[in-house]
Every structure is written in structure tokens, then in C-alpha cells.
Amino acid sequence: MGQKCAVLWGFIGLVVLAVGIITPTIFNIILRQEMRKMLPLEVGSYSYEKWRDLPVPMQIQLWVFDVINADEVMDLGVKPYVVEKGPYTYRLKKQKENITFHANSTVTFRQLSWYYFDRELSVGDENDTFTTINNILLGAAYMTRFEYPVVKEITNLLLEALGGNLYEKYTVWDMVWGYEDPLLKIIKDDILGAFNLSYTLDDHFGFFYKWNGSDQGQFTVYTGAEDLARLSKVDTYNGLTNAPFWSTPYARMLNGTDGTFFPPFLDKHKPLFFYSPNACRTLYMDFDRENIVKDIDTYRYLLPASMLESGSVNPDNVGFCTPNADYCMPSGVLNVSGCREASSAIMSYPHFLGGDPEVINGVNGLHPDPQHHASFLDLEPTSGVPMEVAMRLQIGVFVSNFSSIRQLKHTRTYFHPILWFNESTVITDDLAGQLRTELVEVVQAVSVLHYLLPCVGAVVAVIAVFYTLRRRKRQKKNTENRETETDSTENDPLLVT
């Protein structure tokens, strides 16, 4: 290799080194430009159809808690003993309708849900029975707990006339999808009707009553067209900019997305926020660990225990104490009575996972286990695409001894679980393959080039420099040898013949 050739290879090595160093910067600029084309919620974009009609199979599994010592609980005031029954599985279909775009880069929509019972993935039929709390009786007692004695007495007489007990037997269908309740029917037909009152009361009750084929409210979210960091973030819910059920600005805020999409370029040091109509509040998830779903690297996030800490423990949660800070519940439960028509409803993690011991031990038969009861979300960190989701929440009630109500006079104070559900999905193989080909493998290739090219360039440059120095050293040595030989020849004596 000649001198010019060595210099050329050295120059090439430096160029390769420089290209390797600046490649990620250039690629990130190009990637962000492509994301601005693909991700915004606009008609014709790559993500629009997937956002409007979620293309992944979803299901919701339900487990109910069957009380096996109801008589002893009502007559002797002992702890309830529950046995979990489930799952009862439904295939879930979601689609957004009434989509309206606005000039401020927001879009308004309603998301409809359809539930289809899957007997093969269930332990039994929807007509399976279990014993649980009489929610209407308990709700009547809860609503009148601060009323005048005459109101309490009228309520007690009405409940006595109906002959209901604190614990009754229901089918899974009744408790989930609704049944006609005799107390509600009397109030609707005989009281409101007799006095010709205009107040509207539904005489049916069920935790998912009227959910099938309907929506849970109107969302307005940002499309991300102007700023991808605001992609799918909630602007209003049912026309409101806050959740009015709570008492502090922090508790009332509508923060984060609607839970369908998340902004790209995730930062594992920042929590993810989303508004949940089920919980009537903003929820957040903390980064847990790096994971792999369908051969794609993901960030896994979990609902933390701190989110349901008592306001007396976590000052941020004081606003969730209902009706005020003097009525904070123990850690592990959220009082949602304010957004559940003055009921005594509570929401928690399944089996009161992460709750205070007094909450968990108030009922026998609970076995909280993070592996089975923790909610998690796996996202591809560059695009923010959900890869796998398991949202696990529990519905229950707060039971207290209202001495004016006969059915409750022997009852202790405790938190009673009724059912918990797991709404889950995982990306399909086709969508995972598409994401892997179009994004993940490209990002991985650039990452490899980011390290490979500088190494190659540095090696080439070092070899070229080494060769040049070695060649110069060799040339210098040859020159010195020739000079030495010349001097030796000049100093040798002439031979005489």
C-alpha cells in the first residue's frame, strides 16, 4: 500500500467514524418526521383505522365472590368468608363512533363496547348463582345515614315490608348485566309515580347494566397533529375539563390519554396517565421493567399501590376522600360513591392487593397475589404502541353498622368484594410482524450501525495511521542504512595489487 493509498484509507476511516456518530441523530430526525405522518389521529393516517376500530382481540374475564357463611354474618356479626368463582369470559369488541374533528387539533368521539359470552373459556354459565351483598338495601341505608330519624324510620319500614336480607343469592347475569329490583320498582311506581314526580329512576340494577352496545361517555382528545407529545391526551370528558366528583384540583384533573393510544418516545422515568370512566378519575402507571412481547422489546408499566393510598398517608390523595378529608378510607380502596349515584361502592385492586391489613383481613378467603392481580401495560417504547394489556380492578362495597336498619344491626364494619375483572388484550402476530418489520428492526439496525460504524471507521483509521507510521519508520531506517553504507565505502582503504 502506497503513501497515498494509506492516506485515502485513513480519510475513509474518519468518514465512516463520523457517519456512525451522526447516524442516530439523522435517523431520529427522519423517524420523528415519519411518526408525524403516521401517528396523528387523522383520516387516512396509518393509525386512524386502528384507533377507530381496534384490530386486536380483546376479552374481559369476571370472577365473583360467593359468601358461604351469609347467615352467620347477618345474625352473629362474624367475618364473611368468600370463595372466588370464575372466570366468566366475554369476548370484547370496541369501536369509536360519532367522530368529529375540530380546528384546534382535537377529535370528539364515543367508544361503543359489545360483550359476547364465551362458554368455552368460562367455568360455568351466566345463570350460575352466588351469594353476595344486597346492593340496593345497603345503598338505601347508606343514602339515609345522615338523614332525619323519621326518614330513617320510613326507610326501615319499607325495607321490612319488602323482606330483603343483607345477603341474597343472584345469578352472574343479574349482578353483571342487571335485574329488576323490587325496592327500586316500588320507589319508581308507587312513590315517584303516586306524587307525579319528574325524577327519573331506573328500577334495574347491575354493575355493567346498559354497558353492552353502549358507551361510557364522550371523550375529546388531541389528535397529535400539532404536537405528538399530546397524542390521544384528554381535553374534555362529557364536555367537562375536570372530574367534579372530587375535592382538590389534583384529584379532579383529567390528565393523560383516554387509554387507547399513548404518545411515542417513552421516557421510563415518567409515569403514564390516563382517564378511566370506570374509576371516575385519572389513573397512572409507573415503569416496572423492560420486557419482551412477540419478540419486540417493550416497557412494562404497573398500577402502583401509591395510587390507592389513603389521603392520611399520601397527601396527594386527600381529594379522593369523600365527602371530605375527615372521611379518608384506608389504603387500598377508592370511594366511588360520589360518581355511582350515592351508593356505597368502592373500587380497588383484586383481592385488595396492596391494601391495608385491616381491609384484606376484614373478609376471610382473600389471597392477593401481584402475579395474578396486578394490572400491567406493555408498550413499544419508540412508537408507544400497546403490545399487551391486563387491566384488573375490583368492585365492592363499604359495609357499616347502620343501627336503624334491622338487616344491618349485627353487622361489623368492613370492605366487601363483589367481583373483579380483567380486561386484556395482546397484539396479533400479524400486527407484531408489521411493527417489527417497519419500525423495530429499522431502529435496531440503526442502533447496531451507531456502534458498528464508529468501530469500523476507527479500526480503518488506526490501521492506516499505523501503516503510515510504520512505512515512514521503514523509509527512515532504509535511508539511514544507505547513508551508513555510503560512509563506510568512503572510509575503506584502497586495495593495492
PDB file of all heavy atoms in Angstrom, residues 267-290:
ATOM      1  N   ASP A 267     -40.452   7.804  28.011  1.00  0.00           N
ATOM      2  CA  ASP A 267     -39.398   8.038  28.992  1.00  0.00           C
ATOM      3  C   ASP A 267     -39.731   7.187  30.215  1.00  0.00           C
ATOM      4  O   ASP A 267     -40.725   7.435  30.903  1.00  0.00           O
ATOM      5  CB  ASP A 267     -39.354   9.523  29.363  1.00  0.00           C
ATOM      6  CG  ASP A 267     -38.231   9.849  30.345  1.00  0.00           C
ATOM      7  OD1 ASP A 267     -37.624   8.910  30.908  1.00  0.00           O
ATOM      8  OD2 ASP A 267     -37.959  11.052  30.557  1.00  0.00           O
ATOM      9  N   LYS A 268     -38.914   6.192  30.472  1.00  0.00           N
ATOM     10  CA  LYS A 268     -39.215   5.249  31.558  1.00  0.00           C
ATOM     11  C   LYS A 268     -39.198   5.906  32.933  1.00  0.00           C
ATOM     12  O   LYS A 268     -39.672   5.316  33.911  1.00  0.00           O
ATOM     13  CB  LYS A 268     -38.233   4.084  31.529  1.00  0.00           C
ATOM     14  CG  LYS A 268     -36.792   4.465  31.824  1.00  0.00           C
ATOM     15  CD  LYS A 268     -35.869   3.255  31.868  1.00  0.00           C
ATOM     16  CE  LYS A 268     -35.714   2.608  30.531  1.00  0.00           C
ATOM     17  NZ  LYS A 268     -34.693   1.517  30.551  1.00  0.00           N
ATOM     18  N   HIS A 269     -38.669   7.124  33.015  1.00  0.00           N
ATOM     19  CA  HIS A 269     -38.620   7.817  34.298  1.00  0.00           C
ATOM     20  C   HIS A 269     -39.897   8.619  34.576  1.00  0.00           C
ATOM     21  O   HIS A 269     -40.027   9.206  35.655  1.00  0.00           O
ATOM     22  CB  HIS A 269     -37.409   8.747  34.351  1.00  0.00           C
ATOM     23  CG  HIS A 269     -36.097   8.041  34.154  1.00  0.00           C
ATOM     24  ND1 HIS A 269     -35.579   7.160  35.077  1.00  0.00           N
ATOM     25  CD2 HIS A 269     -35.212   8.068  33.118  1.00  0.00           C
ATOM     26  CE1 HIS A 269     -34.425   6.683  34.637  1.00  0.00           C
ATOM     27  NE2 HIS A 269     -34.187   7.207  33.459  1.00  0.00           N
ATOM     28  N   LYS A 270     -40.807   8.638  33.611  1.00  0.00           N
ATOM     29  CA  LYS A 270     -42.050   9.388  33.784  1.00  0.00           C
ATOM     30  C   LYS A 270     -43.234   8.429  33.798  1.00  0.00           C
ATOM     31  O   LYS A 270     -43.279   7.490  33.004  1.00  0.00           O
ATOM     32  CB  LYS A 270     -42.223  10.403  32.652  1.00  0.00           C
ATOM     33  CG  LYS A 270     -41.161  11.492  32.637  1.00  0.00           C
ATOM     34  CD  LYS A 270     -41.410  12.471  31.493  1.00  0.00           C
ATOM     35  CE  LYS A 270     -40.358  13.572  31.471  1.00  0.00           C
ATOM     36  NZ  LYS A 270     -40.595  14.531  30.351  1.00  0.00           N
ATOM     37  N   PRO A 271     -44.215   8.660  34.680  1.00  0.00           N
ATOM     38  CA  PRO A 271     -45.399   7.786  34.717  1.00  0.00           C
ATOM     39  C   PRO A 271     -46.301   8.038  33.511  1.00  0.00           C
ATOM     40  O   PRO A 271     -46.226   9.080  32.855  1.00  0.00           O
ATOM     41  CB  PRO A 271     -46.094   8.177  36.020  1.00  0.00           C
ATOM     42  CG  PRO A 271     -45.663   9.590  36.263  1.00  0.00           C
ATOM     43  CD  PRO A 271     -44.263   9.698  35.721  1.00  0.00           C
ATOM     44  N   LEU A 272     -47.157   7.070  33.222  1.00  0.00           N
ATOM     45  CA  LEU A 272     -48.174   7.203  32.186  1.00  0.00           C
ATOM     46  C   LEU A 272     -49.511   7.506  32.851  1.00  0.00           C
ATOM     47  O   LEU A 272     -49.904   6.827  33.805  1.00  0.00           O
ATOM     48  CB  LEU A 272     -48.305   5.906  31.377  1.00  0.00           C
ATOM     49  CG  LEU A 272     -47.103   5.458  30.551  1.00  0.00           C
ATOM     50  CD1 LEU A 272     -47.421   4.125  29.880  1.00  0.00           C
ATOM     51  CD2 LEU A 272     -46.749   6.506  29.508  1.00  0.00           C
ATOM     52  N   PHE A 273     -50.209   8.528  32.347  1.00  0.00           N
ATOM     53  CA  PHE A 273     -51.503   8.909  32.893  1.00  0.00           C
ATOM     54  C   PHE A 273     -52.600   8.604  31.875  1.00  0.00           C
ATOM     55  O   PHE A 273     -52.408   8.749  30.671  1.00  0.00           O
ATOM     56  CB  PHE A 273     -51.533  10.407  33.228  1.00  0.00           C
ATOM     57  CG  PHE A 273     -50.622  10.804  34.358  1.00  0.00           C
ATOM     58  CD1 PHE A 273     -49.308  11.188  34.111  1.00  0.00           C
ATOM     59  CD2 PHE A 273     -51.073  10.805  35.666  1.00  0.00           C
ATOM     60  CE1 PHE A 273     -48.463  11.559  35.140  1.00  0.00           C
ATOM     61  CE2 PHE A 273     -50.239  11.177  36.709  1.00  0.00           C
ATOM     62  CZ  PHE A 273     -48.945  11.555  36.446  1.00  0.00           C
ATOM     63  N   PHE A 274     -53.770   8.202  32.375  1.00  0.00           N
ATOM     64  CA  PHE A 274     -54.939   8.034  31.514  1.00  0.00           C
ATOM     65  C   PHE A 274     -56.193   8.160  32.364  1.00  0.00           C
ATOM     66  O   PHE A 274     -56.199   7.835  33.565  1.00  0.00           O
ATOM     67  CB  PHE A 274     -54.912   6.684  30.781  1.00  0.00           C
ATOM     68  CG  PHE A 274     -54.932   5.483  31.678  1.00  0.00           C
ATOM     69  CD1 PHE A 274     -56.126   4.818  31.962  1.00  0.00           C
ATOM     70  CD2 PHE A 274     -53.752   5.000  32.230  1.00  0.00           C
ATOM     71  CE1 PHE A 274     -56.137   3.705  32.792  1.00  0.00           C
ATOM     72  CE2 PHE A 274     -53.757   3.883  33.058  1.00  0.00           C
ATOM     73  CZ  PHE A 274     -54.960   3.236  33.342  1.00  0.00           C
ATOM     74  N   TYR A 275     -57.274   8.659  31.741  1.00  0.00           N
ATOM     75  CA  TYR A 275     -58.523   8.838  32.472  1.00  0.00           C
ATOM     76  C   TYR A 275     -59.383   7.592  32.323  1.00  0.00           C
ATOM     77  O   TYR A 275     -59.586   7.088  31.219  1.00  0.00           O
ATOM     78  CB  TYR A 275     -59.298  10.052  31.972  1.00  0.00           C
ATOM     79  CG  TYR A 275     -60.565  10.279  32.772  1.00  0.00           C
ATOM     80  CD1 TYR A 275     -60.495  10.828  34.048  1.00  0.00           C
ATOM     81  CD2 TYR A 275     -61.808   9.898  32.276  1.00  0.00           C
ATOM     82  CE1 TYR A 275     -61.633  11.013  34.812  1.00  0.00           C
ATOM     83  CE2 TYR A 275     -62.961  10.081  33.039  1.00  0.00           C
ATOM     84  CZ  TYR A 275     -62.863  10.634  34.298  1.00  0.00           C
ATOM     85  OH  TYR A 275     -64.002  10.806  35.057  1.00  0.00           O
ATOM     86  N   SER A 276     -59.909   7.105  33.466  1.00  0.00           N
ATOM     87  CA  SER A 276     -60.727   5.898  33.482  1.00  0.00           C
ATOM     88  C   SER A 276     -62.154   6.240  33.904  1.00  0.00           C
ATOM     89  O   SER A 276     -62.375   6.614  35.073  1.00  0.00           O
ATOM     90  CB  SER A 276     -60.145   4.863  34.449  1.00  0.00           C
ATOM     91  OG  SER A 276     -61.055   3.802  34.663  1.00  0.00           O
ATOM     92  N   PRO A 277     -63.144   6.106  33.010  1.00  0.00           N
ATOM     93  CA  PRO A 277     -64.536   6.309  33.416  1.00  0.00           C
ATOM     94  C   PRO A 277     -64.976   5.314  34.490  1.00  0.00           C
ATOM     95  O   PRO A 277     -65.826   5.638  35.323  1.00  0.00           O
ATOM     96  CB  PRO A 277     -65.321   6.097  32.111  1.00  0.00           C
ATOM     97  CG  PRO A 277     -64.335   6.371  31.020  1.00  0.00           C
ATOM     98  CD  PRO A 277     -63.025   5.878  31.558  1.00  0.00           C
ATOM     99  N   ASN A 278     -64.418   4.105  34.482  1.00  0.00           N
ATOM    100  CA  ASN A 278     -64.781   3.116  35.497  1.00  0.00           C
ATOM    101  C   ASN A 278     -64.423   3.596  36.904  1.00  0.00           C
ATOM    102  O   ASN A 278     -65.187   3.405  37.854  1.00  0.00           O
ATOM    103  CB  ASN A 278     -64.076   1.786  35.231  1.00  0.00           C
ATOM    104  CG  ASN A 278     -64.585   1.095  33.990  1.00  0.00           C
ATOM    105  OD1 ASN A 278     -65.734   1.241  33.617  1.00  0.00           O
ATOM    106  ND2 ASN A 278     -63.721   0.343  33.332  1.00  0.00           N
ATOM    107  N   ALA A 279     -63.253   4.220  37.028  1.00  0.00           N
ATOM    108  CA  ALA A 279     -62.795   4.696  38.327  1.00  0.00           C
ATOM    109  C   ALA A 279     -63.182   6.144  38.576  1.00  0.00           C
ATOM    110  O   ALA A 279     -62.955   6.657  39.686  1.00  0.00           O
ATOM    111  CB  ALA A 279     -61.277   4.538  38.434  1.00  0.00           C
ATOM    112  N   CYS A 280     -63.738   6.810  37.566  1.00  0.00           N
ATOM    113  CA  CYS A 280     -64.164   8.216  37.690  1.00  0.00           C
ATOM    114  C   CYS A 280     -62.992   9.143  37.998  1.00  0.00           C
ATOM    115  O   CYS A 280     -63.168  10.214  38.590  1.00  0.00           O
ATOM    116  CB  CYS A 280     -65.229   8.381  38.767  1.00  0.00           C
ATOM    117  SG  CYS A 280     -66.638   7.267  38.623  1.00  0.00           S
ATOM    118  N   ARG A 281     -61.793   8.763  37.603  1.00  0.00           N
ATOM    119  CA  ARG A 281     -60.623   9.576  37.926  1.00  0.00           C
ATOM    120  C   ARG A 281     -59.476   9.253  36.975  1.00  0.00           C
ATOM    121  O   ARG A 281     -59.516   8.271  36.232  1.00  0.00           O
ATOM    122  CB  ARG A 281     -60.151   9.338  39.364  1.00  0.00           C
ATOM    123  CG  ARG A 281     -59.798   7.891  39.656  1.00  0.00           C
ATOM    124  CD  ARG A 281     -58.971   7.725  40.931  1.00  0.00           C
ATOM    125  NE  ARG A 281     -57.601   8.203  40.740  1.00  0.00           N
ATOM    126  CZ  ARG A 281     -56.643   8.093  41.665  1.00  0.00           C
ATOM    127  NH1 ARG A 281     -56.905   7.540  42.835  1.00  0.00           N
ATOM    128  NH2 ARG A 281     -55.422   8.544  41.423  1.00  0.00           N
ATOM    129  N   THR A 282     -58.444  10.072  37.031  1.00  0.00           N
ATOM    130  CA  THR A 282     -57.214   9.796  36.304  1.00  0.00           C
ATOM    131  C   THR A 282     -56.405   8.738  37.053  1.00  0.00           C
ATOM    132  O   THR A 282     -56.216   8.828  38.267  1.00  0.00           O
ATOM    133  CB  THR A 282     -56.376  11.079  36.159  1.00  0.00           C
ATOM    134  OG1 THR A 282     -57.084  12.009  35.337  1.00  0.00           O
ATOM    135  CG2 THR A 282     -55.030  10.774  35.526  1.00  0.00           C
ATOM    136  N   LEU A 283     -55.949   7.742  36.313  1.00  0.00           N
ATOM    137  CA  LEU A 283     -55.069   6.717  36.862  1.00  0.00           C
ATOM    138  C   LEU A 283     -53.669   6.913  36.288  1.00  0.00           C
ATOM    139  O   LEU A 283     -53.499   7.554  35.246  1.00  0.00           O
ATOM    140  CB  LEU A 283     -55.582   5.320  36.510  1.00  0.00           C
ATOM    141  CG  LEU A 283     -57.020   4.979  36.921  1.00  0.00           C
ATOM    142  CD1 LEU A 283     -57.356   3.552  36.494  1.00  0.00           C
ATOM    143  CD2 LEU A 283     -57.230   5.152  38.410  1.00  0.00           C
ATOM    144  N   TYR A 284     -52.686   6.355  36.946  1.00  0.00           N
ATOM    145  CA  TYR A 284     -51.328   6.425  36.412  1.00  0.00           C
ATOM    146  C   TYR A 284     -50.615   5.100  36.636  1.00  0.00           C
ATOM    147  O   TYR A 284     -50.949   4.335  37.539  1.00  0.00           O
ATOM    148  CB  TYR A 284     -50.536   7.582  37.020  1.00  0.00           C
ATOM    149  CG  TYR A 284     -50.300   7.501  38.505  1.00  0.00           C
ATOM    150  CD1 TYR A 284     -49.182   6.834  39.018  1.00  0.00           C
ATOM    151  CD2 TYR A 284     -51.171   8.105  39.404  1.00  0.00           C
ATOM    152  CE1 TYR A 284     -48.946   6.763  40.379  1.00  0.00           C
ATOM    153  CE2 TYR A 284     -50.949   8.044  40.776  1.00  0.00           C
ATOM    154  CZ  TYR A 284     -49.844   7.383  41.253  1.00  0.00           C
ATOM    155  OH  TYR A 284     -49.610   7.314  42.606  1.00  0.00           O
ATOM    156  N   MET A 285     -49.626   4.853  35.778  1.00  0.00           N
ATOM    157  CA  MET A 285     -48.845   3.627  35.849  1.00  0.00           C
ATOM    158  C   MET A 285     -47.367   3.991  35.864  1.00  0.00           C
ATOM    159  O   MET A 285     -46.931   4.886  35.135  1.00  0.00           O
ATOM    160  CB  MET A 285     -49.145   2.712  34.656  1.00  0.00           C
ATOM    161  CG  MET A 285     -50.621   2.391  34.479  1.00  0.00           C
ATOM    162  SD  MET A 285     -50.964   1.201  33.158  1.00  0.00           S
ATOM    163  CE  MET A 285     -50.768  -0.350  34.052  1.00  0.00           C
ATOM    164  N   ASP A 286     -46.608   3.307  36.691  1.00  0.00           N
ATOM    165  CA  ASP A 286     -45.165   3.534  36.808  1.00  0.00           C
ATOM    166  C   ASP A 286     -44.394   2.464  36.040  1.00  0.00           C
ATOM    167  O   ASP A 286     -44.829   1.308  35.959  1.00  0.00           O
ATOM    168  CB  ASP A 286     -44.739   3.505  38.275  1.00  0.00           C
ATOM    169  CG  ASP A 286     -45.209   4.725  39.041  1.00  0.00           C
ATOM    170  OD1 ASP A 286     -45.430   5.776  38.404  1.00  0.00           O
ATOM    171  OD2 ASP A 286     -45.365   4.633  40.279  1.00  0.00           O
ATOM    172  N   PHE A 287     -43.236   2.871  35.515  1.00  0.00           N
ATOM    173  CA  PHE A 287     -42.363   1.919  34.823  1.00  0.00           C
ATOM    174  C   PHE A 287     -41.900   0.848  35.804  1.00  0.00           C
ATOM    175  O   PHE A 287     -41.494   1.141  36.925  1.00  0.00           O
ATOM    176  CB  PHE A 287     -41.152   2.649  34.237  1.00  0.00           C
ATOM    177  CG  PHE A 287     -40.139   1.727  33.620  1.00  0.00           C
ATOM    178  CD1 PHE A 287     -40.317   1.222  32.341  1.00  0.00           C
ATOM    179  CD2 PHE A 287     -39.002   1.356  34.332  1.00  0.00           C
ATOM    180  CE1 PHE A 287     -39.384   0.361  31.775  1.00  0.00           C
ATOM    181  CE2 PHE A 287     -38.066   0.502  33.775  1.00  0.00           C
ATOM    182  CZ  PHE A 287     -38.265   0.006  32.487  1.00  0.00           C
ATOM    183  N   ASP A 288     -41.988  -0.403  35.355  1.00  0.00           N
ATOM    184  CA  ASP A 288     -41.578  -1.529  36.197  1.00  0.00           C
ATOM    185  C   ASP A 288     -40.286  -2.157  35.696  1.00  0.00           C
ATOM    186  O   ASP A 288     -39.316  -2.291  36.439  1.00  0.00           O
ATOM    187  CB  ASP A 288     -42.689  -2.571  36.243  1.00  0.00           C
ATOM    188  CG  ASP A 288     -42.292  -3.815  37.034  1.00  0.00           C
ATOM    189  OD1 ASP A 288     -41.925  -3.666  38.209  1.00  0.00           O
ATOM    190  OD2 ASP A 288     -42.340  -4.931  36.466  1.00  0.00           O
ATOM    191  N   ARG A 289     -40.265  -2.536  34.417  1.00  0.00           N
ATOM    192  CA  ARG A 289     -39.084  -3.206  33.882  1.00  0.00           C
ATOM    193  C   ARG A 289     -39.175  -3.268  32.360  1.00  0.00           C
ATOM    194  O   ARG A 289     -40.228  -3.029  31.776  1.00  0.00           O
ATOM    195  CB  ARG A 289     -38.964  -4.624  34.431  1.00  0.00           C
ATOM    196  CG  ARG A 289     -40.162  -5.520  34.116  1.00  0.00           C
ATOM    197  CD  ARG A 289     -40.053  -6.872  34.812  1.00  0.00           C
ATOM    198  NE  ARG A 289     -41.255  -7.666  34.695  1.00  0.00           N
ATOM    199  CZ  ARG A 289     -41.521  -8.505  33.704  1.00  0.00           C
ATOM    200  NH1 ARG A 289     -40.643  -8.642  32.706  1.00  0.00           N
ATOM    201  NH2 ARG A 289     -42.641  -9.207  33.682  1.00  0.00           N
ATOM    202  N   GLU A 290     -38.060  -3.598  31.737  1.00  0.00           N
ATOM    203  CA  GLU A 290     -38.056  -3.874  30.308  1.00  0.00           C
ATOM    204  C   GLU A 290     -38.511  -5.310  30.095  1.00  0.00           C
ATOM    205  O   GLU A 290     -38.151  -6.200  30.870  1.00  0.00           O
ATOM    206  CB  GLU A 290     -36.670  -3.634  29.723  1.00  0.00           C
ATOM    207  CG  GLU A 290     -36.228  -2.177  29.784  1.00  0.00           C
ATOM    208  CD  GLU A 290     -34.878  -1.940  29.143  1.00  0.00           C
ATOM    209  OE1 GLU A 290     -34.315  -2.924  28.603  1.00  0.00           O
ATOM    210  OE2 GLU A 290     -34.380  -0.810  29.182  1.00  0.00           O
TER     211      GLU A 290
END
